[in-house]
Amino acid sequence: MTTTTRTLGRSGIEVSAIGMGCWAIGGPLWGDGGQPFGWGEVDDDESIRTIHRALDLGVTLFDTASNYGAGHSERILGRALTGRRDSAVIATKFGNVSEEATRRALGTDASPAFAVRSLEDSLRRLGTAHVDLYQLHINELPAPAALDLVGALEDLVDQGKIRAYGWSTDNPASAEAFAAAGPHCAAIQHDESVLSDNAAVLAVCDRHDLASLNRGPLAMGLLTGSTRAVGADDVRGRAPEWLQWFTDGRPTPRWAARVEQVREALTADGRTLAQGALGWLLARSPRTVPIPGLRTVAQAEENLATLTVGPLPPEAYAEVERLLTDLRPTPAL
């Protein structure tokens, strides 16, 4: 199988051009008032089979977080990588506090001391001595608070416990400040899909030689074409304010209509809708690394086939941009 690779920015770490997002395999996580922050119940054995299949298909990057399933995602990833750790690049995140015993979300902590303590817990759950990419997981944190973390993160690099770090944020000014301050900042993770292009963050990645890790590359399932309702224990079933793609567990009509608008262009060369959406991201920039969430072997096989079919062809990419021209405002000069 021909597998394309990309580099995690100035870290020089080589990864597969598509990674595996591990939020969904964490299982349930609950917030105040019964707000779900996970993707419902999961089959751990199937999750492990999915990770193994992803490895076999050429995936090397696995993106998780300390709070996905209150640590359950990290535990499952660690189990799956037993004996195969050297084949994987592990990215995890810190800043969201959760309780493993109850699977409750308990708020956030952006202190340097918590960043260090959270890493120790992540290393224990993952069963590894180091994490390759350690990411701040508080999207809207004010930039000065994020910059207060740089010293602690650099210390963790010096200790060999992390190889590089980054921030999961959609704010280009925050990303700019963090990248400028952090010598070993290597990536910005941000919302990026054919329906939600963040050109300003991509420009930051260009200026500072960073990787662009694309969360939500399939708009949380909307770009797979599925129309089935999701359960009440799924974050999409009771969508928070920031989740625009789903309403009451079903695709939001105006966004479902957008998908239909570009379906033909995304699938013109015979690929599936999901493969077309991932192919658009690979064509968008040489820095993009989409990390679709995978829960089953079948999902892995479909989505990761994009590594073989490659980026969306130029003519199809141009047609998608024409169809979505009102979503692609011209940047101010």
Side-chain angles (χ1 to χ4, degrees):
M1 170 180 185
T2 300
T3 303
T4 54
T5 61
R6 293 194 168 179
T7 304
L8 284 182
R10 55 201 188 200
S11 73
I13 300 170
E14 188 176 71
V15 297
S16 50
I18 298 175
M20 174 175 167
C22 298
W23 181 11
I25 66 171
L29 179 69
W30 300 98
D32 292 340
Q35 171 66 55
F37 289 128
W39 291 63
E41 293 295 337
V42 289
D43 178 339
D44 291 343
D45 291 336
E46 179 68 5
S47 297
I48 290 172
R49 286 191 291 269
T50 301
I51 293 165
H52 288 168
R53 187 61 178 142
L55 285 164
D56 293 342
L57 291 170
V59 166
T60 59
L61 176 64
F62 296 85
D63 180 84
T64 184
S66 62
N67 65 314
Y68 290 168
H72 190 68
S73 173
E74 290 182 328
R75 290 185 183 280
I76 294 302
L77 181 59
R79 282 172 52 188
L81 293 179
T82 300
R84 303 183 73 172
R85 174 64 181 94
D86 291 345
S87 301
V89 173
I90 297 176
T92 195
K93 309 182 198 74
F94 67 96
N96 286 299
V97 185
S98 58
E99 185 176 62
E100 292 189 55
T102 62
R103 293 205 177 196
R104 303 289 301 179
L106 302 177
T108 62
D109 188 335
S111 68
F114 181 77
V116 173
R117 187 166 67 251
S118 185
L119 177 62
E120 293 301 327
D121 290 338
S122 290
L123 294 175
R124 170 177 51 81
R125 287 188 292 260
L126 288 162
T128 186
H130 77 278
V131 161
D132 299 285
L133 181 67
Y134 195 43
Q135 302 161 98
L136 174 59
H137 200 193
I138 308 175
N139 192 337
E140 299 299 331
L141 187 70
L147 298 185
D148 285 343
L149 291 161
V150 170
L153 294 170
E154 287 292 325
D155 286 345
L156 292 172
V157 172
D158 291 343
Q159 295 168 34
K161 293 185 176 181
I162 65 174
R163 296 173 69 189
Y165 53 85
W167 189 356
S168 179
T169 182
D170 298 321
N171 187 314
S174 296
E176 181 89 45
F178 198 65
H184 287 89
C185 178
I188 298 296
Q189 184 170 148
H190 60 101
D191 180 54
E192 181 75 20
S193 73
V194 66
L195 299 176
S196 180
D197 183 36
N198 194 330
V201 169
L202 281 167
V204 172
C205 293
D206 282 337
R207 282 194 295 274
H208 292 277
D209 189 16
L210 307 177
S212 160
L213 298 190
N214 307 144
R215 52 177 156 79
L218 298 178
M220 297 184 71
L222 181 65
L223 284 162
T224 67
S226 174
T227 59
R228 69 176 183 86
V230 298
D233 60 350
D234 188 308
V235 65
R236 298 167 296 175
R238 185 178 165 186
E241 184 178 350
W242 53 264
L243 203 170
Q244 60 184 324
W245 313 121
F246 287 80
T247 303
D248 298 327
R250 292 189 179 277
T252 303
R254 78 183 188 94
W255 287 112
R258 288 285 188 162
V259 173
E260 292 309 310
Q261 187 178 0
V262 296
R263 179 188 290 270
E264 184 175 351
L266 290 174
T267 61
D269 61 353
R271 66 182 76 202
T272 68
L273 179 61
Q275 291 164 0
L278 294 171
W280 181 89
L281 285 165
L282 294 181
R284 175 66 179 86
S285 165
R287 297 189 179 277
T288 52
V289 182
I291 45 172
L294 305 175
R295 296 177 59 150
T296 67
V297 170
Q299 288 175 348
E301 291 177 342
E302 177 185 354
N303 291 341
L304 300 178
T306 313
L307 289 169
T308 299
V309 297
L312 206 64
E315 62 276 11
Y317 184 90
E319 176 64 5
V320 169
E321 296 306 281
R322 184 188 71 80
L323 292 167
L324 298 178
T325 185
D326 59 321
L327 294 182
R328 306 286 188 262
T330 302
L333 297 178

